[in-house]
């Protein structure tokens, strides 16, 4: 016999799972401003960045709740998404919505005490992504641009947390890399659901492998060029150019996984599961830290 405490524990576990903690790695981007402003920050700045990381994780979790609520019927025919709490029927959709509402309100209130502009940014992020869940995800090209904009907002939030100015080149690199990942995600969905692509996500009917591959080539090239220019023109030490090969390898490795192993549906999971990409990211962070500490 299942006790009430066991049921409560199970519900809390489902609610936490519904926030998709495995995707919180996306929100690590808020630490980018901290990484490139290492000598200008202190412990309090790190704590604020950490707080923003969790606030973005909670707000993005609320977006996932609404998105899964709206897509729960379509997700039931997806080979992977059918196991999500609401799609599988394990979590009451109404309860999930109430939980998301309370968590969103608490997150916005907390963000105001860090920086009022951060509250505005979180509202913009939430509104944009809810619009995506109900309308924008059905609009070809615009759908992947909205996904990419979420990463740019994360980067800006990291700057607001520690009160530093982010250069246009940094934001451009963030946008292009985000587009690169979003296109890879669409390609993977097209591969999984090629025979029933319109059933799960109608916008997939408007995409083809040829189009997505061409977009990937354009954005990958632009990302590498923009990052290279960023290392030379961002007003930091020119030795940041030593990290360019790591960026190139990371992009090439991701392309290999997308085209040769038909992956790319979950970039956050690939970061943790692919040892080559994980090692590249770790080495990149260490390299940037070392270069900024030694040469600035």
């Amino acid at each position: 016999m299942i006790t009430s405490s066991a049921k409560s524990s199970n519900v809390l576990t489902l609610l936490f799972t519904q926030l998709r903690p495995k995707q919180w790695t996306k929100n690590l981007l808020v630490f980018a401003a901290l990484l490139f402003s290492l000598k200008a920050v202190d412990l309090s700045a790190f704590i604020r960045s950490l707080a923003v990381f969790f606030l973005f994780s909670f707000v993005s979790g609320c977006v996932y709740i609404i998105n899964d609520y709206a897509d729960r019927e379509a997700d039931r025919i997806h080979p992977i998404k059918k196991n999500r709490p609401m799609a599988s029927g394990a979590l009451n959709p109404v309860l999930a919505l109430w939980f998301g509402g309370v968590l969103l309100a608490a997150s916005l209130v907390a963000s105001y005490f860090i920086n009022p502009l951060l509250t505005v940014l979180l509202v913009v992020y939430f509104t944009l992504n809810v619009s995506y869940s109900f309308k924008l995800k059905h609009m070809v090209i615009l759908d992947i641009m909205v996904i990419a904009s979420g990463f740019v907002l994360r980067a800006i939030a990291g700057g607001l947390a520690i009160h530093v100015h982010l250069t246009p080149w940094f934001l451009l690199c963030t946008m292009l890399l985000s587009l690169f990942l979003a296109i890879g995600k669409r390609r993977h969905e097209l591969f999984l659901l090629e025979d029933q692509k319109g059933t799960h996500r109608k916008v997939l009917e408007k995409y083809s492998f040829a189009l997505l591959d061409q977009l990937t080539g354009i954005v990958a090239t632009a990302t590498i060029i923009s990052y290279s220019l960023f290392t030379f023109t961002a007003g930091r030490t020119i030795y940041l150019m030593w990290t360019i090969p790591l960026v190139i390898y990371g992009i090439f490795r991701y392309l290999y996984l997308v085209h040769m192993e038909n992956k790319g549906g979950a970039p956050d999971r690939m970061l943790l599961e692919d040892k080559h990409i994980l090692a590249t990211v770790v080495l990149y962070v260490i390299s940037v830290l070392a270069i900024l500490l030694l040469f600035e």
Side-chain angles (χ1 to χ4, degrees):
M1 183 176 181
I2 301 177
T3 64
S4 58
S5 60
K7 290 182 179 179
S8 299
S9 177
N10 184 53
V11 170
L12 290 176
T13 300
L14 288 171
L15 288 172
F16 182 72
T17 302
Q18 182 59 57
L19 295 178
R20 300 193 203 172
K22 292 183 179 180
Q23 297 203 26
W24 288 4
T25 51
K26 297 176 182 177
N27 300 317
L28 290 173
L29 190 57
V30 303
F31 292 103
L34 190 71
L35 175 64
F36 286 99
S37 306
L38 191 61
K39 288 190 174 182
V41 298
D42 52 20
L43 180 60
S44 63
F46 173 77
I47 294 175
R48 290 196 301 272
S49 295
L50 186 63
V52 171
F53 167 80
F54 282 108
L55 289 176
F56 245 99
S57 298
F58 295 152
V59 173
S60 62
C62 294
V63 174
Y64 292 142
I65 288 175
I66 294 177
N67 183 64
D68 286 1
Y69 178 85
D71 290 348
R72 64 188 187 281
E73 296 298 331
D75 286 347
R76 289 187 178 121
I77 65 173
H78 191 280
I80 298 175
K81 296 179 181 180
K82 66 181 181 180
N83 297 317
R84 289 176 177 173
M86 277 190 273
S88 66
L91 179 62
N92 187 315
V94 177
L95 175 62
L97 286 177
W98 274 104
F99 171 74
V102 173
L103 184 61
L104 175 64
S107 299
L108 293 178
V109 171
S111 68
Y112 182 83
F113 293 99
I114 298 176
N115 190 328
L117 289 177
L118 176 61
T119 307
V120 175
L121 187 144
L122 285 174
V123 171
V124 170
Y125 173 84
F126 179 78
T127 304
L128 184 64
N129 280 273
V130 170
S131 299
Y132 171 85
S133 296
F134 289 98
K135 182 67 177 179
L136 298 180
K137 69 180 180 181
H138 302 302
M139 302 177 70
V140 66
I141 306 299
L142 189 59
D143 62 324
I144 57 178
M145 295 189 72
V146 171
I147 294 174
S149 69
F151 288 91
V152 177
L153 292 176
R154 288 175 173 92
I156 296 174
L160 291 176
I162 61 176
H163 306 286
V164 299
H165 174 70
L166 299 177
T167 67
W169 280 113
F170 174 79
L171 295 177
L172 180 61
C173 291
T174 302
M175 182 192 72
L176 290 171
L177 181 59
S178 304
L179 276 173
F180 176 71
L181 297 176
I183 294 169
K185 180 179 176 67
R186 278 291 177 270
R187 192 184 191 283
H188 182 69
E189 289 178 337
L190 190 61
F191 169 77
L192 287 178
L193 301 163
E194 188 173 8
D195 296 331
Q196 49 180 332
K197 55 186 179 182
T199 305
H200 174 70
R201 194 184 294 276
K202 292 182 179 180
V203 75
L204 291 177
E205 294 180 333
K206 301 177 182 179
Y207 284 112
S208 68
F209 287 111
L211 172 62
L212 292 173
D213 290 345
Q214 188 169 5
L215 293 177
T216 298
I218 293 171
V219 174
T221 302
T223 301
I224 294 172
I225 294 174
S226 297
Y227 181 76
S228 300
L229 290 172
F230 164 72
T231 64
F232 284 95
T233 62
R236 314 307 298 267
T237 172
I238 197 173
Y239 294 109
L240 278 174
M241 67 181 183
W242 291 346
T243 62
I244 294 175
L246 292 173
V247 173
I248 294 175
Y249 176 78
I251 290 176
F252 285 4
R253 176 66 185 179
Y254 188 85
L255 286 173
Y256 169 81
L257 294 174
V258 168
H259 290 275
M260 301 305 295
E261 298 190 12
N262 295 313
K263 296 182 178 179
D268 50 302
R269 191 163 63 243
M270 286 174 63
L271 172 63
L272 299 176
E273 293 179 355
D274 186 77
K275 295 179 180 180
H276 296 272
I277 289 183
L278 180 59
T280 301
V281 171
V282 172
L283 186 57
Y284 173 82
V285 172
I286 294 174
S287 299
V288 170
L289 288 173
I291 290 170
L292 293 180
L293 288 173
L294 293 175
F295 298 105
E296 276 203 332

